[in-house]
Amino acid sequence: MKFIPAFLLCLLSLCANAQTNILSTDTVAEEIMLGSYDPSTYLATTILNQPDTISQGISANVSPDSLHAYIETLRTFRNHNTGSDTVSSTNGIGAARRWAYSKFQQFSAANQNRLIPSYLQFDFTGDICGITEHRNILAVLPGTDTSDRSIILVEGHIDSRSENVCDTASLAQGMEDNASGTALVLELARVMSRYSYNHTIVFMITIGEEQGLYGAQAFATYAHQKGISIKAVLNNDVIGGIFCGHTSSVPSCPGYGNIDSTDVRLFSFGGFNSFHKGLARYVKLEYKEMILPFASVPMTINIMTPEDRTGRGGDHQPFRQLSYTAIRMTAANEDGDANVTDTAYHDRQHTTRDTLGVDTNLDGIIDSFFVDFNYLARNTVINGNAIGMMGISPKTPDFTLTTNNQNNLTVNITQQQQYNTYRIGLRTTTNDWDSVYTFSGTLSYTIGNLSPAVYIVSVASVDTVGVESIFSEEKMASLGINQINGAQVSVELLQNSPNPSDEITNISVLVNRPIQYKEAYISIRDILGREVKRLPLQLKEGINETAYHHGDHASGTFIYTLVIDGKAIQSKRMVFTN
Ligand SMILES: [Zn+2]
């Protein structure tokens, strides 16, 4: 990812119109993404749309060898920087994108031509590394039901880089960053096109990520301008490596030489009531319930608090900025923090050293790989399973939450009441659900005997074949704490989440009744009472959340205090472990 200044400029959409003349080269693909098509045109002869069939089919058919083969081919293009050769048939971004397009065509032919390949073409005002016209590569798998036109998008960038972000001459294979993500998207298109889904699924390979997320931004802008509804975006970047480098961006991996092929990280924006975090929890729940019971190598999915690693970015962000639900999936370990200007930097990320592996016995064949194809396959299955379930999922309900303020919560389903079964996700101080409840045959459910705490609740519908919807927005209630004479105090400072934290944590204040005040802030002090940060805060009724970037401050215990009009109202302790 390019240095923050350019990125920030684009975040502030100062160069929002840098992408112009954005179009889908295949107009049918565009119509399908808009939902204006006849699903019967794309029906498979045999409709495979049952949850177990899809889930176990993806799990059985995603192949490490297939993933390896794509990466070997990407390697042959030598340097596929966004600004590299577009004419050559063997080198450069042009050859790479035409090859990816041909793979989508191949997968379509193998599946009754139900997959519609296309380029998303756009011009970039000025240029990206010397080139004005650019193309993302995508393939559209039409859904069988256009009543809900929202599409599901899985993406990864194909452009690579070396030390200089516009170097189109030196070796820049980008095997971990991001041939791994490109291979994942291709493999999902190959395997998932065999099944049928209510929702349309779009497999997209972007360019221009390293220079400023430009390809993803082009599609997000295009979708926004055209009115394409997007249910979820899963961005996969640096998703196949298992080695920790001498350096790695915070939240960092354990240290040089550490190997991890059973953990993966989900990054997403926000804390309380974030649909991005809700999607991350959904991906994890579907893995736990549909794949883990059969998995020969169990994976641990870690829901991270920040939207991305410190000072880094990814192709999920342009979508989040346009209010589409989007997450990023990245390996637990990275070889380098991309600080290539540091002369002591020896790691592989963002350098000519981001290659496939080492030929240890010098027989001319790589035999020790930096990308672990089995690990990459497991991450591919996690993606495919979640996308498959979302693709056939029922509609998300809404609910009201009531409490007796002591020890129970009652959920009442208010919208999408047509289902027989619903689920409740309940969490307290972490990004994960502490528990998930299921109830049937009623629209109201009470969870009792809860210990005093602040509870965060969301709900999902479950259809007749046991598939749950994306979970609803979150609602919060505090039980048995901060009460005066049995009544909730008007303002409550809540325990930060996550706690302990390694780098970033969310601090929330629950306002039970509107209050009159002039100024409010959170004062953060170290154990000696020295103020290290002040976070201004708006206090509206409900939850008011602010993110605290502890960054590289010392680890240990810190005290945070809610101050209203100069008066300290409440304090709590939080712990940092970085
Ligand atoms: Zn990348």
Side-chain angles (χ1 to χ4, degrees):
M1 173 55 241
K2 180 72 187 140
F3 299 108
I4 294 285
F7 174 49
L8 197 58
L9 263 177
C10 290
L11 269 182
L12 301 165
S13 13
L14 287 176
C15 57
N17 300 320
Q19 291 89 339
T20 56
N21 306 325
I22 311 173
L23 59 88
S24 169
T25 56
D26 186 296
T27 52
V28 173
E30 178 169 294
E31 282 154 16
I32 293 165
M33 289 190 283
L34 284 164
S36 43
Y37 65 100
D38 174 2
S40 65
T41 314
Y42 303 98
L43 279 186
T45 313
T46 312
I47 295 186
L48 302 170
N49 61 0
Q50 293 304 299
D52 293 344
T53 309
I54 293 174
S55 184
Q56 287 162 29
I58 290 170
S59 195
N61 291 296
V62 165
S63 148
D65 292 340
S66 178
L67 290 159
H68 182 180
Y70 304 139
I71 291 176
E72 284 285 4
T73 304
L74 278 163
R75 184 167 161 250
T76 65
F77 299 122
R78 209 177 160 280
N79 177 316
H80 33 106
N81 183 293
T82 302
S84 62
D85 192 330
T86 59
V87 178
S88 161
S89 61
T90 55
N91 276 344
I93 191 71
R97 68 184 182 217
R98 285 189 292 276
W99 165 77
Y101 189 92
S102 73
K103 295 307 285 182
F104 283 145
Q105 287 178 312
Q106 183 191 327
F107 303 149
S108 185
N111 291 283
Q112 301 177 278
N113 297 312
R114 293 173 50 241
L115 191 63
I116 317 295
S118 179
Y119 291 107
L120 187 86
Q121 183 175 298
F122 63 94
D123 295 331
F124 192 88
T125 314
D127 62 71
I128 308 175
C129 300
I131 293 189
T132 306
E133 186 188 278
H134 297 276
R135 289 178 156 193
N136 293 341
I137 313 102
L138 53 94
V140 178
L141 185 65
T144 57
D145 170 7
T146 53
S147 63
D148 177 344
R149 298 177 171 213
S150 58
I151 67 171
I152 299 162
L153 179 68
V154 58
E155 60 171 357
H157 73 88
I158 193 171
D159 61 300
S160 63
R161 61 162 292 171
S162 55
E163 283 77 349
N164 175 318
V165 72
C166 278
D167 178 348
T168 58
S170 69
L171 185 70
Q173 295 175 331
M175 296 283 95
E176 282 182 61
D177 189 6
N178 189 35
S180 60
T182 301
L184 180 150
V185 172
L186 287 170
E187 183 67 353
L188 285 179
R190 180 183 78 83
V191 170
M192 295 188 74
S193 298
R194 185 155 175 254
Y195 308 102
S196 295
Y197 316 88
N198 307 344
H199 289 269
T200 290
I201 299 172
V202 176
F203 306 91
M204 179 164 74
I205 293 168
T206 61
I207 52 83
E209 193 273 355
E210 297 292 3
Q211 290 77 22
L213 315 179
Y214 294 131
Q217 204 170 53
F219 190 91
T221 306
Y222 164 80
H224 196 66
Q225 288 170 347
K226 294 275 180 183
I228 293 172
S229 160
I230 301 180
K231 189 180 180 77
V233 177
L234 284 76
N235 173 35
N236 288 271
D237 198 350
V238 192
I239 192 64
I242 57 175
F243 297 98
C244 185
H246 294 92
T247 65
S248 59
S249 300
V250 174
S252 300
C253 45
Y256 180 67
N258 177 277
I259 294 175
D260 187 340
S261 64
T262 57
D263 282 274
V264 69
R265 300 177 292 173
L266 287 185
F267 290 91
S268 60
F269 182 81
F272 170 68
N273 203 15
S274 154
F275 281 101
H276 316 286
K277 287 271 182 315
L279 174 60
R281 284 186 282 270
Y282 182 87
V283 170
K284 186 169 183 173
L285 180 73
E286 295 306 323
Y287 173 75
K288 271 176 137 173
E289 298 190 341
M290 302 293 289
I291 303 288
L292 191 57
F294 314 100
S296 53
V297 180
M299 290 286 290
T300 301
I301 298 175
N302 301 291
I303 299 179
M304 313 303 288
T305 299
E307 182 176 31
D308 212 315
R309 303 94 87 228
T310 303
R312 311 294 301 269
D315 277 347
H316 52 308
Q317 292 170 312
F319 291 93
R320 188 270 300 165
Q321 284 147 19
L322 288 172
S323 305
Y324 295 116
T325 302
I327 62 175
R328 170 191 181 135
M329 202 159 159
T330 286
N333 283 359
E334 293 182 69
D335 194 285
D337 62 4
N339 189 8
V340 291
T341 53
D342 177 350
T343 51
Y345 184 73
H346 297 303
D347 289 324
R348 287 182 278 110
Q349 198 171 85
H350 285 192
T351 74
T352 57
R353 298 183 295 278
D354 186 357
T355 58
L356 188 52
V358 183
D359 168 16
T360 56
N361 56 10
L362 305 175
D363 65 352
I365 300 167
I366 291 177
D367 46 61
S368 168
F369 295 94
F370 297 132
V371 174
D372 180 313
F373 307 114
N374 293 307
Y375 174 63
L376 178 55
R378 290 192 286 275
N379 291 331
T380 306
V381 169
I382 292 171
N383 272 270
N385 178 61
I387 295 163
M389 293 310 108
M390 263 188 281
I392 58 173
S393 62
K395 298 188 182 341
T396 296
D398 199 358
F399 70 110
T400 57
L401 182 66
T402 52
T403 93
N404 68 351
N405 286 331
Q406 294 308 320
N407 59 4
N408 77 30
L409 293 170
T410 299
V411 163
N412 298 292
I413 302 295
T414 55
Q415 281 181 29
Q416 308 299 346
Q417 296 181 320
Q418 68 269 36
Y419 301 104
N420 182 51
T421 301
Y422 295 88
R423 306 193 79 179
I424 302 171
L426 190 74
R427 67 187 184 97
T428 49
T429 58
T430 73
N431 293 325
D432 286 292
W433 285 313
D434 302 326
S435 30
V436 177
Y437 298 81
T438 304
F439 64 96
S440 297
T442 171
L443 293 174
S444 175
Y445 186 80
T446 297
I447 305 169
N449 302 321
L450 290 166
S451 47
V454 171
Y455 291 92
I456 302 169
V457 179
S458 55
V459 296
S461 313
V462 181
D463 66 12
T464 50
V465 290
V467 179
E468 48 276 301
S469 69
I470 290 270
F471 279 68
S472 68
E473 66 166 8
E474 290 187 310
K475 298 182 196 291
M476 177 176 278
S478 61
L479 291 184
I481 56 174
N482 291 321
Q483 296 187 351
I484 301 172
N485 308 329
Q488 275 325 103
V489 295
S490 55
V491 178
E492 294 172 64
L493 180 65
L494 305 178
Q495 188 62 51
N496 66 302
S497 163
N499 186 51
S501 167
D502 53 12
E503 194 254 337
I504 182 174
T505 189
N506 293 309
I507 295 174
S508 308
V509 175
L510 176 61
V511 176
N512 293 306
R513 287 182 297 282
I515 56 166
Q516 300 298 321
Y517 74 101
K518 290 193 195 64
E519 186 206 25
Y521 61 84
I522 300 287
S523 165
I524 296 171
R525 294 170 187 274
D526 65 19
I527 211 69
L528 300 173
R530 290 173 303 211
E531 189 172 66
V532 294
K533 188 95 179 180
R534 227 176 236 202
L535 302 168
L537 207 56
Q538 295 283 328
L539 294 177
K540 297 188 298 302
E541 191 171 1
I543 286 292
N544 304 275
E545 188 174 70
T546 182
Y548 169 50
H549 294 254
H550 184 67
D552 49 15
H553 270 100
S555 57
T557 301
F558 286 73
I559 290 102
Y560 61 101
T561 303
L562 171 62
V563 180
I564 301 177
D565 295 339
K567 191 165 159 263
I569 303 298
Q570 203 179 344
S571 292
K572 282 191 182 286
R573 290 166 174 260
M574 57 184 169
V575 178
F576 288 94
T577 56
N578 66 343

